[in-house]
Each structure stands twice: as structure tokens, then as C-alpha cells.
Amino acid sequence: MAIHSDGTATKKVEIKNTWKQNGTTWNYYINNNDITGWKQINNKWYYLESNGDMKRGWVSSNGKSYYLNTVGDIAVNPKTPDGYLVGANGAWNGQSRIITFKDKNLESIIRREIIKLMI
């Protein structure tokens, strides 16, 4: 408990091993200290910026690019929302984007046109 100069007292809230929302972002605390860099939490990896804010979207780290989902965890083995493939460790494989078509007729037309350009 802290006693202030005006005589009022406030209880210090302990923040241990938990997420805390700060405005529009989230921070992770261990023993009242916000964490930065890569952190594995509940078997998922997150990246927390130098100010402690949880990162979303693309992040470059140690010469590799990683995609962090909208909830902040690293994407592994899927195609990212913007069409890139990442591996089991979450790192982008370096390949161009994958484009998928919902309209199979359009896909066939585009494939034929690409083949014509290659000949």
C-alpha cells in the first residue's frame, strides 16, 4: 500500500504473468515488468515491440520475416491473409504470393493466358 502526500492510500496492483490492454494494444507482464521481443505464451509465439506493445502483421527479426495474426500470435504452416506461405517456425518461405481463385472459370482463363505469354 502506498501513502500519498495528501494522506490517501492506494493499494499497488500486482501484474503477474498476464496480458493487459493499454488503449488499442496489448502488453504482456511478468512480475509487473512489461516484456519485449519474442515471447512464448501458452505454446504460441508473440512479438512485443520495444515499448511493450504486441505486434500484429509482418515483423522482421534476425533476417527473417514473420506474420503475426490479428490476435498477435505467429502464423505457422498456413498461408497468411495476404497470400504468403510461412513454415512450421512461422518464417516466410521467401516465395511470391499464392493467389487462389473462388471462380474456377476465371482461374482457367487466367492460366490459359499465362501459358500463351510463356510460349
Side-chain angles (χ1 to χ4, degrees), residues 43-106:
N43 296 319
K44 294 183 179 183
W45 283 97
Y46 298 84
Y47 186 82
L48 300 130
E49 298 181 283
S50 61
N51 63 358
D53 290 352
M54 180 185 70
K55 178 80 172 149
R56 295 178 182 109
W58 286 101
V59 63
S60 292
S61 176
N62 298 321
K64 296 184 179 181
S65 295
Y66 300 87
Y67 185 83
L68 303 166
N69 294 310
T70 56
V71 294
D73 62 322
I74 196 169
V76 292
N77 284 328
K79 181 174 69 172
T80 63
D82 53 356
Y84 293 93
L85 295 178
V86 293
N89 67 352
W92 172 47
N93 69 3
Q95 299 297 312
S96 299
R97 291 190 332 173
I98 303 295
I99 299 172
T100 54
F101 295 92
K102 292 180 182 177
D103 182 334
K104 292 299 177 185
N105 288 330
L106 177 60

Coordinates of all heavy atoms in Angstrom, one line a residue, residues 43-106:
N43 N 2.2 -21.9 -25.4 CA 2.6 -22.6 -26.6 C 2.4 -21.8 -27.9 O 2.4 -22.4 -29.0 CB 1.9 -23.9 -26.7 CG 2.3 -24.8 -25.6 OD1 3.4 -24.9 -25.2 ND2 1.3 -25.5 -25.0
K44 N 2.2 -20.5 -27.8 CA 2.2 -19.6 -29.0 C 3.2 -18.5 -28.9 O 3.5 -18.1 -27.8 CB 0.8 -19.0 -29.2 CG -0.3 -20.1 -29.5 CD -1.6 -19.4 -29.7 CE -2.7 -20.5 -30.0 NZ -4.0 -19.9 -30.3
W45 N 3.8 -18.1 -30.0 CA 4.8 -17.1 -30.0 C 4.2 -15.7 -30.4 O 3.4 -15.6 -31.3 CB 5.9 -17.4 -31.0 CG 6.8 -18.5 -30.5 CD1 6.8 -19.8 -30.8 CD2 7.9 -18.3 -29.6 NE1 7.8 -20.5 -30.1 CE2 8.5 -19.6 -29.4 CE3 8.5 -17.2 -29.0 CZ2 9.6 -19.8 -28.6 CZ3 9.6 -17.4 -28.2 CH2 10.2 -18.6 -28.0
Y46 N 4.7 -14.7 -29.7 CA 4.2 -13.3 -29.9 C 5.5 -12.5 -30.0 O 6.5 -12.8 -29.4 CB 3.4 -12.9 -28.7 CG 2.1 -13.6 -28.5 CD1 2.1 -14.8 -27.8 CD2 0.9 -13.2 -29.0 CE1 0.9 -15.6 -27.6 CE2 -0.2 -13.9 -28.8 CZ -0.2 -15.1 -28.1 OH -1.4 -15.8 -28.0
Y47 N 5.3 -11.3 -30.6 CA 6.4 -10.4 -30.7 C 5.9 -9.1 -30.0 O 4.9 -8.5 -30.4 CB 6.9 -10.1 -32.1 CG 8.1 -9.2 -32.1 CD1 9.4 -9.7 -31.9 CD2 8.0 -7.8 -32.4 CE1 10.5 -8.9 -32.0 CE2 9.1 -7.0 -32.4 CZ 10.3 -7.6 -32.2 OH 11.5 -6.8 -32.2
L48 N 6.7 -8.6 -29.0 CA 6.3 -7.4 -28.3 C 7.4 -6.3 -28.6 O 8.6 -6.6 -28.5 CB 6.2 -7.7 -26.8 CG 5.1 -8.7 -26.5 CD1 5.7 -9.8 -25.7 CD2 3.9 -8.1 -26.0
E49 N 6.9 -5.2 -29.1 CA 7.8 -4.1 -29.6 C 8.6 -3.5 -28.4 O 8.3 -3.8 -27.2 CB 7.0 -3.0 -30.3 CG 6.3 -3.6 -31.5 CD 5.6 -2.6 -32.3 OE1 4.5 -2.2 -31.9 OE2 6.1 -2.1 -33.3
S50 N 9.5 -2.7 -28.7 CA 10.4 -2.1 -27.6 C 9.6 -1.3 -26.6 O 10.1 -1.2 -25.4 CB 11.5 -1.2 -28.3 OG 10.9 -0.1 -29.0
N51 N 8.4 -0.8 -26.9 CA 7.6 -0.2 -25.9 C 6.6 -1.1 -25.2 O 5.8 -0.7 -24.4 CB 6.8 1.0 -26.5 CG 5.8 0.5 -27.6 OD1 5.7 -0.7 -27.9 ND2 5.1 1.4 -28.2
G52 N 6.8 -2.4 -25.5 CA 5.9 -3.5 -24.9 C 4.7 -3.8 -25.7 O 4.0 -4.8 -25.3
D53 N 4.3 -3.0 -26.7 CA 3.1 -3.3 -27.4 C 3.2 -4.6 -28.3 O 4.2 -4.8 -28.9 CB 2.8 -2.1 -28.4 CG 2.4 -0.9 -27.7 OD1 2.2 -0.9 -26.4 OD2 2.2 0.2 -28.3
M54 N 2.1 -5.4 -28.2 CA 2.0 -6.6 -29.0 C 2.0 -6.2 -30.5 O 1.2 -5.4 -30.9 CB 0.8 -7.4 -28.6 CG 0.6 -8.7 -29.4 SD -0.9 -9.5 -29.0 CE -2.1 -8.4 -29.8
K55 N 2.8 -6.8 -31.3 CA 2.8 -6.5 -32.7 C 1.8 -7.4 -33.5 O 1.6 -8.6 -33.1 CB 4.3 -6.8 -33.2 CG 4.5 -6.6 -34.7 CD 4.6 -5.2 -35.0 CE 5.0 -5.1 -36.5 NZ 4.5 -3.9 -37.1
R56 N 1.3 -6.9 -34.5 CA 0.4 -7.7 -35.4 C 0.9 -7.4 -36.9 O 1.5 -6.4 -37.1 CB -1.0 -7.2 -35.3 CG -1.6 -7.5 -34.0 CD -3.1 -6.9 -33.9 NE -3.7 -7.1 -32.7 CZ -3.9 -6.2 -31.8 NH1 -3.6 -4.9 -32.1 NH2 -4.5 -6.4 -30.6
G57 N 0.6 -8.3 -37.8 CA 1.1 -8.1 -39.2 C 2.5 -8.6 -39.3 O 2.9 -9.5 -38.6
W58 N 3.2 -8.1 -40.3 CA 4.6 -8.5 -40.6 C 5.6 -7.9 -39.7 O 5.5 -6.7 -39.3 CB 4.9 -8.2 -42.0 CG 4.2 -9.0 -43.0 CD1 3.1 -8.7 -43.7 CD2 4.6 -10.4 -43.4 NE1 2.7 -9.8 -44.5 CE2 3.6 -10.8 -44.3 CE3 5.6 -11.2 -43.0 CZ2 3.7 -12.1 -44.9 CZ3 5.6 -12.5 -43.5 CH2 4.7 -12.9 -44.5
V59 N 6.6 -8.7 -39.3 CA 7.7 -8.3 -38.5 C 9.0 -8.9 -39.0 O 8.9 -10.1 -39.4 CB 7.5 -8.6 -36.9 CG1 7.4 -10.1 -36.7 CG2 8.6 -7.9 -36.1
S60 N 10.0 -8.2 -39.1 CA 11.3 -8.7 -39.5 C 12.2 -8.9 -38.2 O 12.3 -8.0 -37.4 CB 12.1 -7.8 -40.4 OG 11.4 -7.7 -41.7
S61 N 12.8 -10.1 -38.1 CA 13.6 -10.4 -36.9 C 14.7 -11.4 -37.4 O 14.4 -12.4 -38.0 CB 12.7 -11.0 -35.9 OG 13.5 -11.4 -34.7
N62 N 15.9 -11.0 -37.0 CA 17.1 -11.9 -37.3 C 17.1 -12.3 -38.8 O 17.4 -13.5 -39.1 CB 17.1 -13.2 -36.4 CG 17.2 -12.8 -35.0 OD1 17.9 -11.9 -34.6 ND2 16.4 -13.5 -34.1
G63 N 16.9 -11.4 -39.7 CA 17.0 -11.6 -41.1 C 15.8 -12.4 -41.7 O 15.9 -12.8 -42.9
K64 N 14.8 -12.6 -41.0 CA 13.6 -13.4 -41.5 C 12.4 -12.5 -41.3 O 12.3 -11.6 -40.4 CB 13.4 -14.7 -40.8 CG 14.6 -15.6 -41.1 CD 14.4 -17.0 -40.4 CE 15.6 -17.9 -40.8 NZ 15.4 -19.2 -40.2
S65 N 11.3 -12.9 -42.1 CA 10.0 -12.2 -41.9 C 9.0 -13.1 -41.4 O 8.9 -14.3 -41.8 CB 9.6 -11.6 -43.3 OG 10.5 -10.7 -43.7
Y66 N 8.2 -12.6 -40.4 CA 7.2 -13.4 -39.8 C 5.9 -12.7 -39.9 O 5.8 -11.5 -39.8 CB 7.5 -13.7 -38.3 CG 8.8 -14.4 -38.1 CD1 10.0 -13.7 -38.0 CD2 8.9 -15.8 -38.0 CE1 11.2 -14.3 -37.8 CE2 10.1 -16.4 -37.8 CZ 11.2 -15.7 -37.7 OH 12.4 -16.4 -37.5
Y67 N 4.8 -13.4 -39.9 CA 3.4 -12.8 -39.9 C 2.8 -13.1 -38.6 O 2.7 -14.3 -38.2 CB 2.6 -13.3 -41.1 CG 1.3 -12.6 -41.1 CD1 1.2 -11.4 -41.8 CD2 0.1 -13.1 -40.5 CE1 0.0 -10.7 -41.8 CE2 -1.1 -12.4 -40.5 CZ -1.1 -11.2 -41.2 OH -2.3 -10.5 -41.2
L68 N 2.3 -12.1 -37.9 CA 1.6 -12.2 -36.7 C 0.1 -12.0 -36.9 O -0.3 -10.9 -37.4 CB 2.2 -11.2 -35.7 CG 3.7 -11.4 -35.4 CD1 4.2 -10.2 -34.7 CD2 3.9 -12.7 -34.7
N69 N -0.7 -12.9 -36.5 CA -2.2 -12.9 -36.7 C -2.8 -11.7 -36.0 O -2.1 -11.0 -35.2 CB -2.8 -14.2 -36.3 CG -2.4 -15.3 -37.1 OD1 -2.5 -15.3 -38.3 ND2 -2.0 -16.4 -36.4
T70 N -4.1 -11.4 -36.3 CA -4.7 -10.3 -35.7 C -4.8 -10.4 -34.1 O -4.9 -9.3 -33.5 CB -6.2 -10.1 -36.2 OG1 -6.9 -11.3 -36.0 CG2 -6.2 -9.8 -37.7
V71 N -4.7 -11.6 -33.6 CA -4.6 -11.7 -32.1 C -3.2 -11.7 -31.6 O -2.9 -11.9 -30.4 CB -5.4 -12.9 -31.6 CG1 -6.9 -12.8 -31.9 CG2 -4.8 -14.2 -32.2
G72 N -2.2 -11.5 -32.5 CA -0.8 -11.4 -32.2 C 0.0 -12.6 -32.2 O 1.3 -12.5 -32.2
D73 N -0.5 -13.8 -32.3 CA 0.3 -15.0 -32.3 C 0.8 -15.2 -33.7 O 0.3 -14.8 -34.7 CB -0.5 -16.2 -31.8 CG -1.7 -16.5 -32.7 OD1 -2.4 -15.6 -33.2 OD2 -2.0 -17.7 -32.9
I74 N 2.0 -15.9 -33.7 CA 2.7 -16.1 -35.0 C 2.0 -17.1 -35.9 O 1.5 -18.1 -35.4 CB 4.2 -16.5 -34.7 CG1 5.0 -16.4 -36.0 CG2 4.2 -17.9 -34.2 CD1 6.5 -16.6 -35.7
A75 N 1.8 -16.8 -37.1 CA 1.2 -17.8 -38.1 C 2.2 -18.9 -38.4 O 3.4 -18.6 -38.7 CB 0.8 -17.0 -39.3
V76 N 1.8 -20.1 -38.3 CA 2.6 -21.2 -38.7 C 1.9 -22.2 -39.6 O 0.8 -22.5 -39.5 CB 3.1 -22.0 -37.4 CG1 4.0 -21.2 -36.6 CG2 1.9 -22.5 -36.6
N77 N 2.7 -22.6 -40.7 CA 2.2 -23.5 -41.7 C 1.1 -23.1 -42.6 O 0.6 -23.9 -43.4 CB 1.9 -24.9 -41.1 CG 3.2 -25.6 -40.8 OD1 4.2 -25.5 -41.5 ND2 3.2 -26.4 -39.7
P78 N 0.5 -22.0 -42.4 CA -0.6 -21.6 -43.3 C -0.2 -20.6 -44.3 O 1.0 -20.2 -44.4 CB -1.6 -21.0 -42.4 CG -0.7 -20.2 -41.4 CD 0.5 -21.1 -41.3
K79 N -1.1 -20.3 -45.1 CA -1.0 -19.1 -46.0 C -1.4 -17.9 -45.2 O -2.5 -17.9 -44.5 CB -1.8 -19.3 -47.2 CG -1.7 -18.2 -48.2 CD -2.5 -18.5 -49.5 CE -4.0 -18.5 -49.2 NZ -4.8 -18.7 -50.4
T80 N -0.7 -16.8 -45.2 CA -1.0 -15.6 -44.5 C -2.2 -15.0 -45.2 O -2.5 -15.3 -46.3 CB 0.1 -14.6 -44.4 OG1 0.4 -14.2 -45.7 CG2 1.4 -15.2 -43.8
P81 N -3.0 -14.1 -44.5 CA -4.1 -13.4 -45.1 C -3.8 -12.7 -46.4 O -4.6 -12.6 -47.3 CB -4.6 -12.5 -44.0 CG -4.1 -13.1 -42.8 CD -2.8 -13.7 -43.1
D82 N -2.5 -12.3 -46.5 CA -2.1 -11.6 -47.8 C -1.5 -12.5 -48.8 O -0.9 -12.0 -49.8 CB -1.3 -10.3 -47.5 CG -0.1 -10.6 -46.6 OD1 0.1 -11.8 -46.2 OD2 0.7 -9.7 -46.4
G83 N -1.6 -13.8 -48.6 CA -1.2 -14.8 -49.6 C 0.2 -15.3 -49.6 O 0.6 -16.0 -50.5
Y84 N 1.0 -15.1 -48.6 CA 2.3 -15.7 -48.5 C 2.3 -16.9 -47.6 O 1.5 -17.1 -46.7 CB 3.3 -14.7 -47.9 CG 3.5 -13.5 -48.8 CD1 2.7 -12.3 -48.6 CD2 4.4 -13.5 -49.8 CE1 2.9 -11.2 -49.5 CE2 4.6 -12.4 -50.6 CZ 3.9 -11.3 -50.4 OH 4.1 -10.2 -51.3
L85 N 3.3 -17.9 -47.9 CA 3.4 -19.1 -47.2 C 4.5 -19.0 -46.1 O 5.5 -18.4 -46.4 CB 3.7 -20.3 -48.1 CG 2.7 -20.6 -49.1 CD1 3.2 -21.8 -50.0 CD2 1.4 -21.0 -48.5
V86 N 4.1 -19.4 -44.9 CA 5.1 -19.5 -43.8 C 5.3 -20.9 -43.3 O 4.3 -21.7 -43.5 CB 4.7 -18.6 -42.6 CG1 4.8 -17.1 -43.0 CG2 3.3 -18.9 -42.1
G87 N 6.4 -21.2 -42.8 CA 6.7 -22.6 -42.4 C 6.3 -22.9 -41.0 O 5.7 -22.1 -40.3
A88 N 6.8 -24.1 -40.5 CA 6.5 -24.5 -39.1 C 7.0 -23.6 -38.1 O 6.5 -23.5 -37.0 CB 7.0 -25.9 -38.9
N89 N 8.1 -22.9 -38.4 CA 8.7 -21.9 -37.4 C 8.1 -20.5 -37.6 O 8.4 -19.6 -36.9 CB 10.2 -21.9 -37.5 CG 10.6 -21.2 -38.9 OD1 9.8 -21.0 -39.8 ND2 11.9 -21.0 -39.0
G90 N 7.1 -20.4 -38.5 CA 6.5 -19.1 -38.7 C 7.2 -18.2 -39.7 O 6.7 -17.1 -40.1
A91 N 8.4 -18.5 -40.2 CA 9.1 -17.7 -41.1 C 8.6 -17.8 -42.5 O 8.2 -18.9 -43.0 CB 10.6 -18.0 -41.1
W92 N 8.5 -16.7 -43.2 CA 8.1 -16.6 -44.6 C 9.1 -17.4 -45.4 O 10.3 -17.4 -45.2 CB 8.0 -15.2 -45.1 CG 7.8 -15.0 -46.5 CD1 6.9 -15.6 -47.3 CD2 8.5 -14.1 -47.4 NE1 7.0 -15.2 -48.6 CE2 8.0 -14.2 -48.7 CE3 9.6 -13.2 -47.2 CZ2 8.5 -13.5 -49.8 CZ3 10.0 -12.5 -48.3 CH2 9.5 -12.7 -49.6
N93 N 8.6 -18.2 -46.4 CA 9.5 -19.1 -47.2 C 10.2 -18.4 -48.3 O 11.0 -19.0 -49.0 CB 8.7 -20.3 -47.7 CG 7.7 -19.9 -48.8 OD1 7.6 -18.7 -49.2 ND2 6.9 -20.9 -49.2
G94 N 10.0 -17.1 -48.5 CA 10.7 -16.3 -49.5 C 10.0 -16.3 -50.8 O 10.5 -15.7 -51.8
Q95 N 9.0 -17.1 -51.0 CA 8.3 -17.3 -52.3 C 7.3 -16.1 -52.5 O 6.9 -15.5 -51.6 CB 7.6 -18.6 -52.4 CG 8.6 -19.8 -52.3 CD 9.6 -19.9 -53.4 OE1 9.3 -19.7 -54.5 NE2 10.9 -20.0 -53.0
S96 N 7.0 -16.0 -53.8 CA 5.9 -15.0 -54.2 C 4.6 -15.4 -53.6 O 4.4 -16.5 -53.1 CB 5.8 -14.9 -55.7 OG 7.0 -14.5 -56.2
R97 N 3.7 -14.5 -53.6 CA 2.3 -14.7 -53.0 C 1.6 -15.8 -53.8 O 1.8 -16.0 -55.0 CB 1.5 -13.5 -53.0 CG 2.0 -12.5 -52.1 CD 1.1 -11.3 -51.9 NE 0.2 -10.9 -53.0 CZ -0.7 -10.0 -52.8 NH1 -0.8 -9.3 -51.7 NH2 -1.5 -9.7 -53.8
I98 N 0.8 -16.5 -53.1 CA -0.1 -17.6 -53.7 C -1.4 -16.9 -54.0 O -2.0 -16.3 -53.1 CB -0.3 -18.8 -52.8 CG1 1.1 -19.4 -52.4 CG2 -1.2 -19.8 -53.4 CD1 1.8 -20.0 -53.5
I99 N -1.9 -17.0 -55.2 CA -3.2 -16.5 -55.5 C -4.2 -17.6 -55.7 O -3.9 -18.6 -56.4 CB -3.2 -15.6 -56.8 CG1 -2.2 -14.5 -56.6 CG2 -4.6 -15.1 -57.1 CD1 -1.9 -13.7 -57.8
T100 N -5.3 -17.6 -55.0 CA -6.3 -18.6 -55.2 C -7.6 -17.9 -55.7 O -7.9 -16.8 -55.4 CB -6.7 -19.3 -53.8 OG1 -7.0 -18.3 -52.9 CG2 -5.5 -20.1 -53.3
F101 N -8.3 -18.7 -56.5 CA -9.5 -18.1 -57.2 C -10.7 -18.9 -56.7 O -10.7 -20.1 -56.6 CB -9.4 -18.3 -58.7 CG -8.3 -17.6 -59.3 CD1 -7.1 -18.1 -59.5 CD2 -8.5 -16.3 -59.8 CE1 -6.0 -17.4 -60.1 CE2 -7.5 -15.5 -60.4 CZ -6.3 -16.1 -60.5
K102 N -11.7 -18.1 -56.3 CA -13.0 -18.7 -56.0 C -13.8 -19.1 -57.2 O -14.6 -20.0 -57.2 CB -13.8 -17.8 -55.1 CG -13.2 -17.6 -53.7 CD -14.0 -16.6 -52.9 CE -13.2 -16.4 -51.6 NZ -13.8 -15.5 -50.7
D103 N -13.5 -18.4 -58.3 CA -14.2 -18.6 -59.6 C -13.3 -19.5 -60.4 O -12.3 -19.0 -61.0 CB -14.5 -17.3 -60.2 CG -15.3 -17.4 -61.6 OD1 -15.2 -18.5 -62.2 OD2 -16.0 -16.5 -61.9
K104 N -13.6 -20.8 -60.6 CA -12.8 -21.7 -61.3 C -12.7 -21.4 -62.8 O -11.7 -21.6 -63.5 CB -13.3 -23.2 -61.1 CG -13.1 -23.7 -59.7 CD -11.6 -23.6 -59.4 CE -11.4 -24.1 -57.9 NZ -10.0 -23.9 -57.5
N105 N -13.8 -20.8 -63.4 CA -13.8 -20.4 -64.8 C -12.7 -19.3 -65.0 O -11.9 -19.3 -65.9 CB -15.1 -19.9 -65.3 CG -16.1 -21.0 -65.4 OD1 -15.7 -22.2 -65.7 ND2 -17.4 -20.8 -65.2
L106 N -12.7 -18.3 -64.1 CA -11.7 -17.2 -64.2 C -10.3 -17.8 -64.0 O -9.4 -17.4 -64.7 CB -12.0 -16.2 -63.1 CG -11.0 -15.0 -63.0 CD1 -11.0 -14.2 -64.3 CD2 -11.3 -14.1 -61.8

